[in-house]
Every structure is written in structure tokens, then in C-alpha cells.
Amino acid sequence: MQNLLAFLTKYFHWLLFLLLEVASLVLLFSYNSFQGSVWVSSANAVAGKVYEWQSAVEQFFSLQQRTWNLEARNVELEQRLWRARQQLLTMQQDTATVDSALQSATDQLLMLPAKVVSSTLNRPDNLITIDRGRRDGVRPDMGVVSGMGLVGVVYMVSDHYSVLLPLVNTHSRVSCAIRGSGYFGYLMWDGANPTEAYMDDVPRHAQFEEGEWIETSGYSSIFPPGITVGQIASIGNSADGLSYRLKVKLSTDFGCLRDVHVITDTTFLERRQLLMAARDSMALVR
């Protein structure tokens, strides 16, 4: 109490000055219309600037969630596009049995969102790590996509993380087809440019042009048909001259890949296990 009294005694003149200043300002802006309008407009300007800063901060911290939502929306639209392509193929070619099976598999796609936590681009054996693992339902040999297109395959899994074998890995090999024609081959990466890969074994009688789209063929137990892979950049010949070798500009930009989705549908896992069992059985017969 004595300290408080000592403080008030010491700074009494300053406190009285501040009190009178506040009182004079209140009287000035309350009973003078011009000064009052200046105060209101100035206060509104300051408040508007403060709200603008607040909005910018909120948008910054919500940017990650918005990006995640956009990525999920892109994948959802990709799923709808896959289904539409299969329906169009059924109407045009009347391959009812095959397309019905492909359509059923596509309709049952389940996507698990994940975030890239680390990746490499400057090695022949590039790998990508995501923040989803065995406890989230991820298993080896599951396909991974993004809103831009195909990403790769799950290679190894722990409880909380998974390592992917991306398209930009020299060990990657994906069955792909030229959109609209059905001619297929195998996409591989040569270890050079991370924006390009090569599609081999395309038959010589196939008809196509530069700029056409490459997509997954569906002849795989990992990926459904119709997932965008990239565009034909140039057309060349294989080493033996018996087939075409296409340079493909990849639709997925692995340099800025942040959000992905794992195809966790159990029907693909079932097909994979059945195929492996069939191969093991054939090996035993031999």
C-alpha cells in the first residue's frame, strides 16, 4: 500500500495530465461534428487495416487445409473422369464383359489422403516418403496418385509411414495405354530428366500423334484404367526397330509434389494376391 501511495505521489502530475488530456479529447470529438467525423473515419481506417491483417494471417494458416481440400477435389474429379471414360468405351466398342469388370473396379475406388514428408529427384533410385502407414491401411504394392496424375507404387510400409517407388525411379515399370486407341506399352524412366519418361513396346501398327495423352491401361493389379500419366512429347523407334519408343512428358510435377492419395481399395489387393498365387502355382508345376 505504501508503495502504491509513493508511486501516486511521485507521478501525480503526469497522471493528472493524462486524465485531463483524455477528458479534453472526449469533449472535443463528442461536441464537435467535424472532429467527430475525422475520428470516426480514422478509426474505421485503422480497424479496416487491422481486420485486413487478421484476414491475411487466418488465410495463411488455413492455406494448408485449403490445399488439401483442393487436392482431394482434384482426385475426386479424376475418379469421375475415369468412370466416364469407361462408360464411353463401353458404348463405342461394345466390349461389355471387360469394360463391366473395369467399371466395377473403378466405382469401388477408395482413396486415402497423405502428405509427402520427404522425396528425392537427383538419383536413379528416387524414393518418396508419406505420412501414412500400416495402421492407416496402407500395404505394399498399392497405387498412389495425385490431383496431377499418377505418382507411383507403395514400396515399403511401417506403422506410420510408407516409402513410395515413384515413376521417376529406374526400377519403376507401369503398364500404360494411349488414350482413345487402346494401344499399350510399358512406361519406364531412364534416370535423366524427372519431367520425362519413356513408353516402350508400342506396336508398329499403332496410329497416334504427338500431344496425345498417356494413361494407365488397367492391365495391372495395382492401377485402375484411365489414370493420367502424361502426354506424348516425341515419337521414336526402339533399339531393335520392331516397336515405337515414346517420350512422355509426365503430368505429375515431382518437384512440387506435396499431397497424394493412396488407392486402398481391397479389390486391387485381392487381384494382386490372386495373381501372385497363380504365378507361384505355375512355378511349382514347372
Side-chain angles (χ1 to χ4, degrees), residues 11 206 218:
Y11 296 102

Side-chain angles (χ1 to χ4, degrees), residues 20 23 42 57 138 146 162-163 203 272:
L20 293 176
S42 301
V57 172
V138 181
S146 73
S162 299
V163 175
R272 179 75 174 178

Side-chain angles (χ1 to χ4, degrees), residues 20-260:
L20 293 176
E21 282 291 324
V22 171
S24 63
L25 290 175
V26 171
L27 293 174
L28 175 65
F29 292 116
S30 297
Y31 296 98
N32 294 275
S33 58
F34 174 75
Q35 286 81 357
S37 63
V38 171
W39 165 257
V40 171
S41 60
S42 301
N44 288 339
V46 173
K49 183 59 68 174
V50 171
Y51 289 141
E52 182 181 346
W53 291 340
Q54 179 183 358
S55 177
V57 172
E58 291 177 352
Q59 289 182 8
F60 175 79
F61 285 106
S62 65
L63 184 60
Q64 179 177 350
Q65 182 63 39
R66 292 167 63 187
T67 302
W68 192 281
N69 292 338
L70 286 174
E71 185 71 19
R73 180 59 177 170
N74 284 341
V75 173
E76 179 186 351
L77 293 175
E78 279 286 336
Q79 287 182 261
R80 294 184 180 181
L81 186 59
W82 301 339
R83 289 194 289 267
R85 287 177 190 152
Q86 293 307 313
Q87 291 173 352
L88 181 61
L89 184 63
T90 301
M91 291 186 292
Q92 289 179 341
Q93 299 185 3
D94 195 26
T95 55
T97 303
V98 176
D99 292 337
S100 176
L102 293 177
Q103 176 69 35
S104 176
T106 306
D107 285 339
Q108 297 175 5
L109 282 178
L110 299 176
M111 297 290 188
L112 176 67
K115 184 169 290 294
V116 174
V117 295
S118 68
S119 64
T120 60
L121 275 180
N122 57 351
R123 303 175 182 176
D125 55 349
N126 293 308
L127 297 173
I128 296 175
T129 304
I130 60 175
D131 63 349
R132 297 284 188 171
R134 188 179 297 107
R135 292 190 177 182
D136 302 298
V138 181
R139 298 291 182 270
D141 296 325
M142 285 183 170
V144 182
V145 299
S146 73
M148 296 179 284
L150 191 64
V151 173
V153 180
V154 177
Y155 180 55
M156 297 181 65
V157 177
S158 66
D159 285 344
H160 302 289
Y161 297 93
S162 299
V163 175
L164 312 182
L165 191 73
L167 295 181
V168 288
N169 185 302
T170 53
H171 295 91
S172 175
R173 186 178 174 89
V174 179
S175 176
C176 297
I178 302 173
R179 181 175 295 172
S181 68
Y183 294 109
F184 67 94
Y186 292 92
L187 188 82
M188 293 174 287
W189 188 56
D190 63 353
N193 191 339
T195 66
E196 298 173 345
Y198 289 89
M199 182 174 170
D200 293 323
D201 299 334
V202 180
R204 298 290 298 182
H205 61 274
Q207 297 182 357
F208 51 88
E209 298 177 353
E210 292 183 8
E212 293 192 35
W213 287 95
I214 303 298
E215 61 188 16
T216 52
S217 64
Y219 302 144
S220 165
S221 59
I222 298 176
F223 298 108
I227 303 177
T228 301
V229 175
Q231 281 183 293
I232 300 175
S234 63
I235 302 172
N237 295 318
S238 62
D240 56 13
L242 299 178
S243 60
Y244 287 118
R245 190 171 200 248
L246 311 181
K247 180 188 288 187
V248 179
K249 182 173 179 57
L250 300 175
S251 60
T252 299
D253 187 349
F254 290 91
C256 64
L257 187 64
R258 296 294 180 269
D259 299 294
V260 298

Side-chain angles (χ1 to χ4, degrees), residues 277-286:
R279 290 175 177 173
D280 293 341
S281 177
M282 293 177 64
L284 291 176
V285 171
R286 292 177 182 175

